[in-house]
Structure formats: C-alpha cells, structure tokens
Amino acid sequence: MPLPGVPNLEFQLPGPDNHCGMKKLFVKTYGCQMNAYDSAKMADLLAPLGYAATYAPEGADMVILNTCHIRERAAEKVYSELGRLKQLKAAKAKDGGRMVLAVAGCVAQAEGAEIVARAPQVDLVVGPQSYHRLPEMIARAARQNGHVLETDFPALEKFDTLAPPQASKVSAFLTVQEGCDKFCTFCVVPYTRGSEYSRPPEAILIEARQLADKGAREIVLLGQNVNAYAADGWSLAKLCKAIAEIKDIERIRYTTSHPRDMGDDLIAAHGENEKLMPYLHLPVQSGADAVLEAMNRQHKADDYRRLVDRIRVARGDIALTSDFIVGFPGESDADFEATLSLVRDIGYATAFSFKYSKRPGTPASTMRKQIPEEVKAARLEALQKLLLSQQYSFDDSQIGKVLPVLFEKTAREPGQLMGRSQYLQPVHVNTDAAWIGGVVDVRIERRTANSLHGVLA
Ligand code: SAH
Ligand code: SF4
Ligand code: F3S
C-alpha cells in the first residue's frame, strides 16, 4: 500500500484469483491515494456484474488503468502499458474472447478522445467523476464497436450511486473531499478533478461504519485538499471527532492538507482527539517566498514555520512530512538554499520531492526561465540527501522505545507481520497472524532502510 502523500506509486488491486464462472477484472492503479480509493470503488461497482479481481492482465476480461497526470512521466507510463496490453488483447481475441480495455483517472480526464486516437485498442475512457457509469458504459461497448467516452464532472451523482465496500483492508481509505480550487501554477489537479466538493457528513459516517464492519481499524480520510473539507457546517476536525466515536475504529489519519486550510479546530484536534494519529502531511513545495508566490501557494515560508510551531504546541511529537518541487521556473540557487534551510528548521520525519515537470495548459509551463534538467537533478539529489538523513535520524530516535503498532498484514518473510507505528513508519515483527487488525505495543530494536523492526513488548 502506498504511504499517504506518496504520489505516483503503482500498485495492483489484490484479488482472490478464484474465478469459477466469474469474469476476470484487472485494475492497475497509478498516482495518489484517491486513485487507490477509486480503484476499489470500481471493483465494488463491477462485482455485481460478475467481475472478480485478478492479479495479472493476461487473459483478463476487463482491464482498467486508473491513471495519473501529475507529472509527464506518470502520463507517459500509461501509453507504454497500453502498448503491452494491445498484445494481450489480440491474444485474447485469437482465442475467441474479448478483453475490454478502459482508461480511467486523471489522464482520461485530461486527454479524453486523444487517448483513443493514440491507442485505438482502448474501448472506454472514463474520468474520475464519471466512473460510476462504468456498468452502463461496458454494456454500450458490448453493443457497439466504437469507443465510449465519459468525462463529465457529476461528483454528487457519483458518490450517491457508489456501492458499499465489499471488503476492507485494516487501514482503509475514505474519500471525503475531491477537487481543488487553488490553482497552483504547476498543477493539473484543478483541471482533472474539478472544483472542490465535500461529501455530506452522514454519507461519510455510513461508509466509515461499513468499513469498520468489514474489518477496518484505521480510516484514512482523503481529499486533494482534505482540510478544506466543509459540508453542512462540519469541518474536518468535527468529522474526525464523529469517526472517533465508531467503536472499532482505533486510528484516524487524513491526507493531503494544504497549509492555508489548517484551521484552529483541526490543530486543536491533534491535542484532543486520541484516535487522530500524530502524523501530518503538510506540503510546502518550496522554502523561498519568490517561488511560493510564483507557484500561487498564497503563503510565505515563515507563515509555514509559524504554523508548524502552533501544531507542535498542540501535539509535541507530531511527525511531519511534505512534498517539495525543485527546479520550478525561475528558482535561483539562493531560492533552493532557502528550501534546504526550511527543511533544516522544520525537521521532517519523511518527505517526497520531485523535479518540476511541465504540464500542458498550466501557467508555469509557459513561464520564462525554465530550469535546465541537470540543475534540477543536482538540486533533487541534494534535497533528497538531506531529507533522507532526517528520516533516518527520526527512525533511529525510536530505537529502544515501545510504540503502539497497528498490524496490517503478513510480511513477505514467513512468520513476520507488517504494521505501522503511530507515525506511519512500517514496523516488522515476528509474531502470530492473529494480531492482524490489533494495536499492539512493540519494542523497537533496529532500523533497516525503510522499516523498523521490533518484538512484542
Ligand atoms: N493538494 C496537494 C498536492 C497534490 S499533488 C497540495 O497542495 O499540497 C501531489 C504533489 O505532486 C504536490 O504536492 C507536488 O509536490 C507534486 N506535483 C504536482 N504537480 C507537479 C509538477 N508539475 N511537477 C512536479 N511535481 C508536481
Ligand atoms: Fe494542485 Fe495546488 Fe490544488 Fe494541491 S492545492 S491539488 S498542488 S493546485
Ligand atoms: Fe495523479 Fe490525479 Fe491523483 S493527477 S496525483 S491521480 S489527483
């Protein structure tokens, strides 16, 4: 499972691979957690039509690529995958079968009909706000031989028609807010996901209870700007409080938050709501005011420092993470130094950093003073070195401590379980699978590159 805040990870929807009389569905997910949530919803939606999830595209009756448009590389990966799928589709046709090939997600929204022009093997193109229409689109595709496209923005209708969760992981995603009105000058999200929309609290609470009934012990509330959540007079803090009252839910997290929407009640909640985990993904992107302004982030670097101070007053041990972009147009050496200096001041538990990627149609893509690739690469390397050293020292500071770990699943190594600390660090322990779904005290003994290891305390 991707960490909250990690855009552009690929993973596949797990499936039982037990297909007696069922049609095989393969969903490949790119991008952020909202896409992961949407992939699970698409699988739930197609289950009544007889589709069961499978691990591999070979021989599948339906393949959905749930795509990401955030950086150029993310979008290009889709076309190379479509090239591979063309062969599999032809092989299936040779055997007298049919593979329905769908492109969903943010590339579908951004490129629409261009996808079928470039990759005519694609049958369906469906945007992130219209995938609830998939069953009807599949029926249309079966009747006709052309392509079926849906890229409207009926967010309200989508959530009203989604099926209840069929299953749940121990840590379950729950989308509460979608879209973005902030228009950072580098970003495609306002164009691919539409304007900000918050789901009604009752619908969210129903879904949270359904997830708890299916085995969820942690709920991760999702939104492109999750802390901008506002519906029927409810804020995100109020929503977290109501979810904390669901007995089986032990932990609550939320992602991604924007520094401008960190309300006083949400900051206070980190000190008051015991189920709200001390981990916050609060992207700053840059530590230089000139760059922040050109990005249209609408805050200064010192506003961010002060905000972090206030959050740390509410919850002293909060683990902070962020996203950074290096090589934004016009970023000088001094601007980049200001980013390094902000990172040193804050001290991150972990963070994600990217080279600026030009996105068609965004204001930054036509800004003068684009930064050469080799400068971007050198800056990224320097920033990642600093961030990694902070991550290691944060992880090392846990050695010898007893941390509550929520066990999520068996690890790759036999006899081992994987869980997460309150700070979202992966923790590996040799213990009984019966602990899956439980929060158990673990004495941390050592760290490897990406994980902590310990024993039951
Ligand atoms: N809503 C969140 C971010 C969502 S996109 C926020 O405002 O913080 C996830 C991350 O992708 C961003 O935080 C940013 O760091 C990165 N990103 C977005 N557009 C990008 C681009 N054009 N080039 C490089 N990185 C980008
Ligand atoms: Fe993109 Fe900015 Fe909106 Fe985040 S706040 S999704 S970076 S436009
Ligand atoms: Fe990518 Fe769309 Fe998410 S562009 S990061 S999948 S909102």
Side-chain angles (χ1 to χ4, degrees), residues 4-65:
V6 185
N8 206 21
L9 277 186
E10 290 172 35
F11 63 101
Q12 280 129 36
L13 206 65
D17 259 5
N18 164 13
H19 292 97
C20 322
M22 304 284 284
K23 284 176 273 189
K24 289 188 196 172
L25 167 69
F26 177 72
V27 185
K28 183 159 180 174
T29 310
Y30 303 80
C32 62
Q33 295 88 344
M34 319 233 0
N35 261 11
Y37 173 87
D38 291 343
S39 289
K41 283 288 168 202
M42 285 190 257
D44 288 344
L45 200 67
L46 297 182
L49 273 69
Y51 286 94
T54 180
Y55 288 108
E58 285 78 13
D61 299 283
M62 170 131 196
V63 173
I64 303 177
L65 299 185

Short mmCIF file of all heavy atoms in Angstrom, two decimals, residues 4-65:
data_model
loop_
_atom_site.label_atom_id
_atom_site.label_comp_id
_atom_site.label_asym_id
_atom_site.label_seq_id
_atom_site.Cartn_x
_atom_site.Cartn_y
_atom_site.Cartn_z
N PRO A 4 0.44 7.45 2.64
CA PRO A 4 -0.26 8.69 2.34
C PRO A 4 0.76 9.74 1.93
O PRO A 4 1.83 9.84 2.52
CB PRO A 4 -0.90 9.04 3.69
CG PRO A 4 -1.12 7.72 4.32
CD PRO A 4 0.06 6.88 3.90
N GLY A 5 0.42 10.46 0.90
CA GLY A 5 1.32 11.52 0.48
C GLY A 5 2.30 11.09 -0.59
O GLY A 5 3.04 11.91 -1.09
N VAL A 6 2.32 9.82 -0.93
CA VAL A 6 3.25 9.43 -1.99
C VAL A 6 2.51 9.39 -3.30
O VAL A 6 1.75 8.48 -3.57
CB VAL A 6 3.82 8.01 -1.77
CG1 VAL A 6 4.87 7.70 -2.82
CG2 VAL A 6 4.42 7.88 -0.40
N PRO A 7 2.66 10.42 -4.12
CA PRO A 7 2.03 10.35 -5.41
C PRO A 7 2.82 9.42 -6.31
O PRO A 7 3.99 9.16 -6.06
CB PRO A 7 2.08 11.79 -5.93
CG PRO A 7 2.72 12.60 -4.87
CD PRO A 7 3.42 11.66 -3.94
N ASN A 8 2.17 8.94 -7.32
CA ASN A 8 2.85 8.24 -8.38
C ASN A 8 3.45 6.89 -8.01
O ASN A 8 4.49 6.51 -8.53
CB ASN A 8 3.94 9.14 -8.96
CG ASN A 8 4.22 8.76 -10.38
OD1 ASN A 8 3.38 8.13 -11.00
ND2 ASN A 8 5.38 9.10 -10.89
N LEU A 9 2.81 6.19 -7.11
CA LEU A 9 3.20 4.81 -6.88
C LEU A 9 2.24 3.92 -7.64
O LEU A 9 1.07 4.24 -7.77
CB LEU A 9 3.07 4.46 -5.39
CG LEU A 9 4.25 4.86 -4.52
CD1 LEU A 9 4.05 4.31 -3.14
CD2 LEU A 9 5.54 4.30 -5.10
N GLU A 10 2.74 2.82 -8.13
CA GLU A 10 1.85 1.91 -8.83
C GLU A 10 1.57 0.72 -7.93
O GLU A 10 2.45 0.24 -7.27
CB GLU A 10 2.56 1.31 -10.04
CG GLU A 10 2.81 2.25 -11.13
CD GLU A 10 3.69 1.56 -12.16
OE1 GLU A 10 3.53 0.35 -12.37
OE2 GLU A 10 4.54 2.24 -12.72
N PHE A 11 0.38 0.27 -7.93
CA PHE A 11 0.13 -0.99 -7.27
C PHE A 11 -1.14 -1.59 -7.85
O PHE A 11 -1.91 -0.91 -8.51
CB PHE A 11 0.04 -0.85 -5.76
CG PHE A 11 -1.08 0.02 -5.31
CD1 PHE A 11 -2.23 -0.55 -4.83
CD2 PHE A 11 -0.97 1.38 -5.40
CE1 PHE A 11 -3.27 0.25 -4.43
CE2 PHE A 11 -2.02 2.19 -5.00
CZ PHE A 11 -3.17 1.62 -4.51
N GLN A 12 -1.30 -2.87 -7.59
CA GLN A 12 -2.43 -3.56 -8.19
C GLN A 12 -3.43 -3.98 -7.14
O GLN A 12 -3.06 -4.31 -6.03
CB GLN A 12 -1.93 -4.78 -8.93
CG GLN A 12 -1.37 -4.40 -10.27
CD GLN A 12 0.00 -4.98 -10.47
OE1 GLN A 12 0.28 -6.07 -10.03
NE2 GLN A 12 0.85 -4.23 -11.14
N LEU A 13 -4.68 -3.92 -7.55
CA LEU A 13 -5.73 -4.32 -6.64
C LEU A 13 -5.59 -5.81 -6.35
O LEU A 13 -5.55 -6.63 -7.27
CB LEU A 13 -7.05 -4.07 -7.35
CG LEU A 13 -8.26 -3.83 -6.50
CD1 LEU A 13 -8.09 -2.53 -5.73
CD2 LEU A 13 -9.48 -3.77 -7.37
N PRO A 14 -5.47 -6.21 -5.09
CA PRO A 14 -5.34 -7.62 -4.81
C PRO A 14 -6.64 -8.35 -5.09
O PRO A 14 -7.71 -7.78 -4.94
CB PRO A 14 -5.01 -7.66 -3.32
CG PRO A 14 -5.55 -6.39 -2.77
CD PRO A 14 -5.55 -5.40 -3.89
N GLY A 15 -6.54 -9.57 -5.50
CA GLY A 15 -7.77 -10.31 -5.77
C GLY A 15 -7.59 -11.77 -5.40
O GLY A 15 -6.46 -12.24 -5.26
N PRO A 16 -8.66 -12.48 -5.19
CA PRO A 16 -8.56 -13.86 -4.75
C PRO A 16 -8.10 -14.81 -5.85
O PRO A 16 -7.66 -15.92 -5.55
CB PRO A 16 -9.99 -14.18 -4.31
CG PRO A 16 -10.88 -13.21 -5.04
CD PRO A 16 -10.04 -12.00 -5.33
N ASP A 17 -8.16 -14.37 -7.09
CA ASP A 17 -7.85 -15.25 -8.22
C ASP A 17 -8.63 -16.57 -8.17
O ASP A 17 -8.10 -17.65 -8.42
CB ASP A 17 -6.33 -15.51 -8.28
CG ASP A 17 -5.70 -14.63 -9.35
OD1 ASP A 17 -6.42 -13.81 -9.92
OD2 ASP A 17 -4.50 -14.78 -9.61
N ASN A 18 -9.86 -16.45 -7.85
CA ASN A 18 -10.72 -17.62 -7.76
C ASN A 18 -11.90 -17.31 -8.67
O ASN A 18 -12.74 -16.51 -8.33
CB ASN A 18 -11.14 -17.78 -6.29
CG ASN A 18 -12.31 -18.71 -6.13
OD1 ASN A 18 -12.67 -19.42 -7.07
ND2 ASN A 18 -12.92 -18.69 -4.96
N HIS A 19 -11.88 -17.86 -9.86
CA HIS A 19 -12.76 -17.33 -10.90
C HIS A 19 -13.76 -18.31 -11.47
O HIS A 19 -14.08 -18.26 -12.63
CB HIS A 19 -11.93 -16.74 -12.04
CG HIS A 19 -11.19 -15.53 -11.61
ND1 HIS A 19 -9.88 -15.57 -11.21
CD2 HIS A 19 -11.59 -14.25 -11.46
CE1 HIS A 19 -9.51 -14.37 -10.83
NE2 HIS A 19 -10.51 -13.55 -10.98
N CYS A 20 -14.30 -19.21 -10.62
CA CYS A 20 -15.27 -20.18 -11.14
C CYS A 20 -16.45 -19.42 -11.72
O CYS A 20 -17.21 -18.81 -10.95
CB CYS A 20 -15.75 -21.10 -10.03
SG CYS A 20 -14.48 -21.55 -8.88
N GLY A 21 -16.56 -19.40 -13.03
CA GLY A 21 -17.71 -18.76 -13.68
C GLY A 21 -17.69 -17.24 -13.61
O GLY A 21 -18.64 -16.60 -14.06
N MET A 22 -16.65 -16.65 -13.05
CA MET A 22 -16.59 -15.19 -12.93
C MET A 22 -15.78 -14.62 -14.09
O MET A 22 -14.93 -15.30 -14.67
CB MET A 22 -15.91 -14.78 -11.62
CG MET A 22 -16.51 -15.34 -10.38
SD MET A 22 -18.03 -14.51 -9.93
CE MET A 22 -17.43 -12.99 -9.24
N LYS A 23 -16.03 -13.33 -14.37
CA LYS A 23 -15.18 -12.65 -15.34
C LYS A 23 -14.00 -12.05 -14.60
O LYS A 23 -14.14 -11.62 -13.47
CB LYS A 23 -16.01 -11.57 -16.05
CG LYS A 23 -16.95 -12.17 -17.08
CD LYS A 23 -17.83 -11.12 -17.72
CE LYS A 23 -19.07 -10.91 -16.88
NZ LYS A 23 -20.08 -10.07 -17.48
N LYS A 24 -12.86 -12.02 -15.27
CA LYS A 24 -11.66 -11.54 -14.59
C LYS A 24 -11.45 -10.04 -14.81
O LYS A 24 -11.44 -9.58 -15.96
CB LYS A 24 -10.43 -12.28 -15.13
CG LYS A 24 -10.35 -13.72 -14.73
CD LYS A 24 -8.99 -14.25 -15.17
CE LYS A 24 -8.96 -15.75 -15.17
NZ LYS A 24 -7.73 -16.25 -15.77
N LEU A 25 -11.24 -9.33 -13.70
CA LEU A 25 -11.02 -7.88 -13.76
C LEU A 25 -9.62 -7.57 -13.23
O LEU A 25 -9.27 -7.96 -12.12
CB LEU A 25 -12.06 -7.18 -12.86
CG LEU A 25 -11.79 -5.71 -12.56
CD1 LEU A 25 -11.97 -4.85 -13.81
CD2 LEU A 25 -12.74 -5.20 -11.46
N PHE A 26 -8.84 -6.88 -14.05
CA PHE A 26 -7.52 -6.44 -13.59
C PHE A 26 -7.49 -4.92 -13.55
O PHE A 26 -7.75 -4.26 -14.55
CB PHE A 26 -6.43 -6.97 -14.53
CG PHE A 26 -5.06 -6.51 -14.15
CD1 PHE A 26 -4.42 -7.03 -13.03
CD2 PHE A 26 -4.40 -5.53 -14.90
CE1 PHE A 26 -3.15 -6.60 -12.67
CE2 PHE A 26 -3.14 -5.09 -14.54
CZ PHE A 26 -2.51 -5.62 -13.43
N VAL A 27 -7.23 -4.38 -12.36
CA VAL A 27 -7.16 -2.91 -12.23
C VAL A 27 -5.74 -2.53 -11.85
O VAL A 27 -5.19 -3.05 -10.87
CB VAL A 27 -8.13 -2.40 -11.12
CG1 VAL A 27 -8.13 -0.87 -11.09
CG2 VAL A 27 -9.54 -2.91 -11.35
N LYS A 28 -5.14 -1.64 -12.60
CA LYS A 28 -3.80 -1.16 -12.25
C LYS A 28 -3.92 0.31 -11.88
O LYS A 28 -4.48 1.11 -12.63
CB LYS A 28 -2.86 -1.34 -13.44
CG LYS A 28 -1.45 -0.92 -13.09
CD LYS A 28 -0.45 -1.55 -14.03
CE LYS A 28 0.96 -1.10 -13.65
NZ LYS A 28 1.97 -1.78 -14.43
N THR A 29 -3.39 0.62 -10.71
CA THR A 29 -3.56 1.98 -10.18
C THR A 29 -2.26 2.75 -10.20
O THR A 29 -1.23 2.25 -9.74
CB THR A 29 -4.06 1.90 -8.72
OG1 THR A 29 -5.18 1.02 -8.69
CG2 THR A 29 -4.48 3.26 -8.20
N TYR A 30 -2.31 3.95 -10.70
CA TYR A 30 -1.17 4.87 -10.66
C TYR A 30 -1.61 6.07 -9.81
O TYR A 30 -2.80 6.34 -9.68
CB TYR A 30 -0.85 5.41 -12.06
CG TYR A 30 -0.56 4.36 -13.11
CD1 TYR A 30 -1.60 3.67 -13.73
CD2 TYR A 30 0.75 4.08 -13.48
CE1 TYR A 30 -1.33 2.72 -14.71
CE2 TYR A 30 1.02 3.13 -14.45
CZ TYR A 30 -0.03 2.45 -15.07
OH TYR A 30 0.24 1.52 -16.03
N GLY A 31 -0.63 6.81 -9.31
CA GLY A 31 -0.97 8.11 -8.70
C GLY A 31 -1.25 8.06 -7.24
O GLY A 31 -0.68 7.27 -6.49
N CYS A 32 -2.19 8.91 -6.80
CA CYS A 32 -2.36 9.17 -5.37
C CYS A 32 -3.36 8.21 -4.74
O CYS A 32 -3.96 7.37 -5.39
CB CYS A 32 -2.81 10.60 -5.18
SG CYS A 32 -4.39 10.95 -5.94
N GLN A 33 -3.57 8.39 -3.45
CA GLN A 33 -4.48 7.54 -2.69
C GLN A 33 -5.92 7.67 -3.16
O GLN A 33 -6.71 6.74 -3.01
CB GLN A 33 -4.44 7.90 -1.21
CG GLN A 33 -3.12 7.64 -0.54
CD GLN A 33 -2.19 8.83 -0.67
OE1 GLN A 33 -2.39 9.72 -1.48
NE2 GLN A 33 -1.16 8.83 0.13
N MET A 34 -6.25 8.82 -3.72
CA MET A 34 -7.63 8.98 -4.19
C MET A 34 -7.89 8.03 -5.36
O MET A 34 -8.98 7.51 -5.51
CB MET A 34 -7.91 10.41 -4.64
CG MET A 34 -7.28 11.39 -3.71
SD MET A 34 -8.25 12.65 -3.00
CE MET A 34 -9.81 12.47 -3.55
N ASN A 35 -6.86 7.81 -6.16
CA ASN A 35 -6.99 6.84 -7.23
C ASN A 35 -7.11 5.42 -6.67
O ASN A 35 -7.86 4.60 -7.22
CB ASN A 35 -5.78 6.91 -8.18
CG ASN A 35 -6.08 7.73 -9.42
OD1 ASN A 35 -7.11 8.40 -9.49
ND2 ASN A 35 -5.19 7.67 -10.39
N ALA A 36 -6.39 5.15 -5.59
CA ALA A 36 -6.48 3.81 -4.97
C ALA A 36 -7.91 3.59 -4.46
O ALA A 36 -8.49 2.51 -4.64
CB ALA A 36 -5.49 3.70 -3.82
N TYR A 37 -8.47 4.62 -3.85
CA TYR A 37 -9.85 4.54 -3.37
C TYR A 37 -10.79 4.30 -4.56
O TYR A 37 -11.66 3.42 -4.52
CB TYR A 37 -10.21 5.85 -2.66
CG TYR A 37 -11.66 5.99 -2.25
CD1 TYR A 37 -12.10 5.50 -1.02
CD2 TYR A 37 -12.58 6.63 -3.08
CE1 TYR A 37 -13.43 5.64 -0.64
CE2 TYR A 37 -13.91 6.77 -2.70
CZ TYR A 37 -14.33 6.27 -1.48
OH TYR A 37 -15.64 6.41 -1.10
N ASP A 38 -10.59 5.07 -5.64
CA ASP A 38 -11.46 4.93 -6.81
C ASP A 38 -11.34 3.53 -7.43
O ASP A 38 -12.34 2.97 -7.88
CB ASP A 38 -11.09 5.98 -7.87
CG ASP A 38 -11.46 7.40 -7.43
OD1 ASP A 38 -12.27 7.55 -6.50
OD2 ASP A 38 -10.93 8.36 -8.04
N SER A 39 -10.13 2.98 -7.42
CA SER A 39 -9.95 1.62 -7.98
C SER A 39 -10.77 0.61 -7.20
O SER A 39 -11.43 -0.26 -7.78
CB SER A 39 -8.48 1.20 -7.95
OG SER A 39 -7.75 1.95 -8.88
N ALA A 40 -10.73 0.73 -5.87
CA ALA A 40 -11.50 -0.20 -5.03
C ALA A 40 -12.99 -0.01 -5.31
O ALA A 40 -13.75 -0.99 -5.40
CB ALA A 40 -11.19 0.04 -3.56
N LYS A 41 -13.40 1.23 -5.49
CA LYS A 41 -14.82 1.51 -5.77
C LYS A 41 -15.24 0.93 -7.12
O LYS A 41 -16.35 0.43 -7.28
CB LYS A 41 -15.08 3.02 -5.75
CG LYS A 41 -15.15 3.60 -4.35
CD LYS A 41 -16.43 3.15 -3.66
CE LYS A 41 -16.41 3.43 -2.19
NZ LYS A 41 -17.35 2.61 -1.43
N MET A 42 -14.35 1.02 -8.10
CA MET A 42 -14.70 0.47 -9.42
C MET A 42 -14.86 -1.05 -9.32
O MET A 42 -15.78 -1.61 -9.91
CB MET A 42 -13.63 0.84 -10.45
CG MET A 42 -13.72 2.30 -10.87
SD MET A 42 -12.66 2.67 -12.29
CE MET A 42 -11.32 3.48 -11.50
N ALA A 43 -13.98 -1.69 -8.54
CA ALA A 43 -14.10 -3.14 -8.37
C ALA A 43 -15.41 -3.48 -7.66
O ALA A 43 -16.11 -4.42 -8.05
CB ALA A 43 -12.90 -3.66 -7.59
N ASP A 44 -15.77 -2.69 -6.63
CA ASP A 44 -17.05 -2.91 -5.92
C ASP A 44 -18.24 -2.78 -6.87
O ASP A 44 -19.20 -3.53 -6.82
CB ASP A 44 -17.24 -1.86 -4.80
CG ASP A 44 -16.30 -2.10 -3.62
OD1 ASP A 44 -15.74 -3.20 -3.52
OD2 ASP A 44 -16.14 -1.16 -2.81
N LEU A 45 -18.12 -1.80 -7.76
CA LEU A 45 -19.19 -1.49 -8.70
C LEU A 45 -19.38 -2.61 -9.74
O LEU A 45 -20.49 -2.87 -10.20
CB LEU A 45 -18.78 -0.20 -9.41
CG LEU A 45 -19.76 0.67 -10.10
CD1 LEU A 45 -20.70 1.28 -9.07
CD2 LEU A 45 -19.04 1.81 -10.83
N LEU A 46 -18.26 -3.25 -10.09
CA LEU A 46 -18.33 -4.27 -11.15
C LEU A 46 -18.58 -5.67 -10.59
O LEU A 46 -18.93 -6.58 -11.35
CB LEU A 46 -17.04 -4.25 -11.99
CG LEU A 46 -16.81 -2.93 -12.74
CD1 LEU A 46 -15.55 -3.01 -13.58
CD2 LEU A 46 -18.00 -2.58 -13.65
N ALA A 47 -18.46 -5.83 -9.27
CA ALA A 47 -18.68 -7.16 -8.67
C ALA A 47 -20.08 -7.70 -9.00
O ALA A 47 -20.20 -8.87 -9.41
CB ALA A 47 -18.43 -7.11 -7.17
N PRO A 48 -21.14 -6.89 -8.87
CA PRO A 48 -22.48 -7.44 -9.19
C PRO A 48 -22.63 -7.85 -10.65
O PRO A 48 -23.54 -8.61 -10.99
CB PRO A 48 -23.44 -6.29 -8.86
CG PRO A 48 -22.66 -5.32 -8.05
CD PRO A 48 -21.23 -5.51 -8.39
N LEU A 49 -21.75 -7.35 -11.51
CA LEU A 49 -21.81 -7.75 -12.93
C LEU A 49 -21.01 -9.03 -13.17
O LEU A 49 -20.82 -9.45 -14.32
CB LEU A 49 -21.21 -6.64 -13.80
CG LEU A 49 -22.12 -5.51 -14.28
CD1 LEU A 49 -22.54 -4.61 -13.13
CD2 LEU A 49 -21.41 -4.68 -15.33
N GLY A 50 -20.50 -9.62 -12.10
CA GLY A 50 -19.80 -10.89 -12.24
C GLY A 50 -18.29 -10.76 -12.43
O GLY A 50 -17.64 -11.71 -12.82
N TYR A 51 -17.73 -9.59 -12.13
CA TYR A 51 -16.28 -9.42 -12.27
C TYR A 51 -15.59 -9.65 -10.94
O TYR A 51 -16.00 -9.09 -9.92
CB TYR A 51 -15.94 -8.01 -12.75
CG TYR A 51 -16.25 -7.77 -14.20
CD1 TYR A 51 -17.47 -7.21 -14.59
CD2 TYR A 51 -15.33 -8.10 -15.19
CE1 TYR A 51 -17.76 -6.99 -15.92
CE2 TYR A 51 -15.61 -7.88 -16.54
CZ TYR A 51 -16.83 -7.32 -16.89
OH TYR A 51 -17.11 -7.11 -18.20
N ALA A 52 -14.55 -10.47 -10.94
CA ALA A 52 -13.75 -10.67 -9.73
C ALA A 52 -12.31 -10.26 -10.02
O ALA A 52 -11.79 -10.53 -11.11
CB ALA A 52 -13.80 -12.13 -9.31
N ALA A 53 -11.69 -9.61 -9.04
CA ALA A 53 -10.35 -9.06 -9.25
C ALA A 53 -9.32 -10.17 -9.46
O ALA A 53 -9.40 -11.23 -8.85
CB ALA A 53 -9.94 -8.22 -8.05
N THR A 54 -8.36 -9.89 -10.35
CA THR A 54 -7.29 -10.85 -10.61
C THR A 54 -5.95 -10.12 -10.53
O THR A 54 -5.90 -8.91 -10.58
CB THR A 54 -7.50 -11.49 -12.00
OG1 THR A 54 -6.46 -12.40 -12.24
CG2 THR A 54 -7.50 -10.46 -13.12
N TYR A 55 -4.86 -10.90 -10.37
CA TYR A 55 -3.56 -10.30 -10.13
C TYR A 55 -2.81 -9.88 -11.39
O TYR A 55 -1.83 -9.17 -11.31
CB TYR A 55 -2.67 -11.28 -9.37
CG TYR A 55 -3.07 -11.47 -7.93
CD1 TYR A 55 -3.66 -12.64 -7.50
CD2 TYR A 55 -2.85 -10.46 -7.00
CE1 TYR A 55 -4.02 -12.82 -6.18
CE2 TYR A 55 -3.21 -10.62 -5.68
CZ TYR A 55 -3.80 -11.80 -5.27
OH TYR A 55 -4.14 -11.96 -3.96
N ALA A 56 -3.21 -10.42 -12.55
CA ALA A 56 -2.41 -10.17 -13.75
C ALA A 56 -3.33 -9.88 -14.93
O ALA A 56 -4.46 -10.37 -14.98
CB ALA A 56 -1.55 -11.38 -14.03
N PRO A 57 -2.86 -9.08 -15.89
CA PRO A 57 -3.73 -8.73 -17.02
C PRO A 57 -3.91 -9.87 -18.03
O PRO A 57 -4.87 -9.85 -18.80
CB PRO A 57 -3.00 -7.54 -17.65
CG PRO A 57 -1.56 -7.71 -17.26
CD PRO A 57 -1.57 -8.40 -15.93
N GLU A 58 -3.00 -10.86 -18.01
CA GLU A 58 -3.07 -11.94 -19.00
C GLU A 58 -4.43 -12.64 -18.93
O GLU A 58 -4.81 -13.12 -17.86
CB GLU A 58 -1.97 -12.98 -18.79
CG GLU A 58 -0.58 -12.55 -19.23
CD GLU A 58 0.09 -11.61 -18.24
OE1 GLU A 58 -0.40 -11.49 -17.10
OE2 GLU A 58 1.10 -10.96 -18.63
N GLY A 59 -5.16 -12.64 -20.03
CA GLY A 59 -6.42 -13.37 -20.09
C GLY A 59 -7.59 -12.66 -19.40
O GLY A 59 -8.70 -13.19 -19.35
N ALA A 60 -7.37 -11.46 -18.87
CA ALA A 60 -8.46 -10.76 -18.17
C ALA A 60 -9.57 -10.38 -19.15
O ALA A 60 -9.32 -10.13 -20.33
CB ALA A 60 -7.92 -9.52 -17.47
N ASP A 61 -10.82 -10.35 -18.64
CA ASP A 61 -11.94 -9.93 -19.47
C ASP A 61 -12.06 -8.42 -19.50
O ASP A 61 -12.60 -7.84 -20.43
CB ASP A 61 -13.25 -10.53 -18.92
CG ASP A 61 -13.19 -12.04 -18.93
OD1 ASP A 61 -13.36 -12.60 -20.02
OD2 ASP A 61 -12.94 -12.64 -17.87
N MET A 62 -11.57 -7.81 -18.44
CA MET A 62 -11.60 -6.35 -18.40
C MET A 62 -10.33 -5.85 -17.71
O MET A 62 -9.92 -6.37 -16.67
CB MET A 62 -12.84 -5.90 -17.61
CG MET A 62 -12.83 -4.43 -17.30
SD MET A 62 -14.42 -3.71 -17.74
CE MET A 62 -13.98 -1.99 -17.75
N VAL A 63 -9.70 -4.85 -18.32
CA VAL A 63 -8.51 -4.24 -17.71
C VAL A 63 -8.79 -2.74 -17.57
O VAL A 63 -9.21 -2.09 -18.53
CB VAL A 63 -7.24 -4.46 -18.58
CG1 VAL A 63 -6.06 -3.67 -18.02
CG2 VAL A 63 -6.91 -5.95 -18.65
N ILE A 64 -8.59 -2.24 -16.36
CA ILE A 64 -8.75 -0.80 -16.15
C ILE A 64 -7.40 -0.22 -15.73
O ILE A 64 -6.79 -0.71 -14.77
CB ILE A 64 -9.78 -0.49 -15.03
CG1 ILE A 64 -11.13 -1.14 -15.36
CG2 ILE A 64 -9.93 1.02 -14.84
CD1 ILE A 64 -12.19 -0.95 -14.26
N LEU A 65 -6.93 0.77 -16.45
CA LEU A 65 -5.75 1.51 -15.99
C LEU A 65 -6.27 2.78 -15.35
O LEU A 65 -6.88 3.62 -16.01
CB LEU A 65 -4.83 1.87 -17.17
CG LEU A 65 -4.25 0.71 -17.98
CD1 LEU A 65 -3.27 1.24 -19.03
CD2 LEU A 65 -3.55 -0.30 -17.08
#
